[in-house]
Amino acid sequence: FPSGVAALCATVDGTRVGMVATSFSAGVSYDPPMVMFSVQESSTTWPVLATAPRIGISILSASQADACMQLASRSRDRFAGLDITETAGGAVLLGDAVMWMECEIVSVTPAGDHRVVILQVHGVDVAQEQAPLVYHERRFHALSAIA
């Protein structure tokens, strides 16, 4: 099943923390605006990221496959060389993304070997000229128009 790729990042106690999710979903609620994703129980990044007052969500663009792999890495600096912006609330956003959201966690629900996380959106911006990165069949793809 093809899906977009979201980077979820924040600064926690002076350190940037980030992870990647292909389970991201928008439109959970329109009033107030809410989004959601799921995270594995075994994640070592999520317990740290979950303590952030605000989390930045960057919907990655087709040009960000390498950035996605870097953010998912367990063996290197996840943010080295990336174009990032930090909000006053500590949310970290990646440049060149398709969309950016500043969010706050409103609920976390156990779901088997995952947790479903619902976040309220406090700010959003969109890059109209960018195409999204798509993850399908264990590979990255870009959308193209069919003539």
Side-chain angles (χ1 to χ4, degrees):
F1 183 76
S3 66
V5 183
L8 295 96
C9 308
T11 297
V12 178
D13 296 329
T15 302
R16 289 188 182 115
V17 181
M19 60 186 287
V20 174
T22 57
S23 60
F24 179 80
S25 179
V28 172
S29 169
Y30 294 114
D31 188 17
M34 293 185 180
V35 296
M36 67 181 228
F37 75 100
S38 64
V39 60
Q40 289 182 344
E41 286 282 356
S42 61
S43 172
T44 56
T45 304
W46 174 246
V48 178
L49 191 57
T51 66
R54 295 286 174 101
I55 296 175
I57 299 178
S58 302
I59 306 302
L60 300 182
S61 70
S63 66
Q64 293 182 299
D66 289 340
C68 179
M69 295 305 293
Q70 181 174 334
L71 284 166
S73 174
R74 294 181 185 182
S75 62
R76 61 181 170 165
D77 182 342
R78 292 180 178 182
F79 295 94
L82 296 181
D83 176 19
I84 60 168
T85 300
E86 185 173 333
T87 69
V92 173
L93 304 166
L94 277 67
D96 298 323
V98 172
M99 177 183 279
W100 303 271
M101 290 171 259
E102 184 173 3
C103 300
E104 173 185 13
I105 298 168
V106 294
S107 73
V108 180
T109 304
D113 62 355
H114 280 65
R115 291 189 179 264
V116 175
V117 182
I118 298 178
L119 305 107
Q120 182 171 344
V121 178
H122 291 284
V124 64
D125 197 8
V126 177
Q128 298 291 342
E129 68 284 356
Q130 296 284 18
L133 182 64
V134 176
Y135 186 74
H136 183 239
E137 295 181 339
R138 299 182 185 189
R139 294 182 306 165
F140 296 115
H141 303 271
L143 296 178
S144 61
I146 298 175

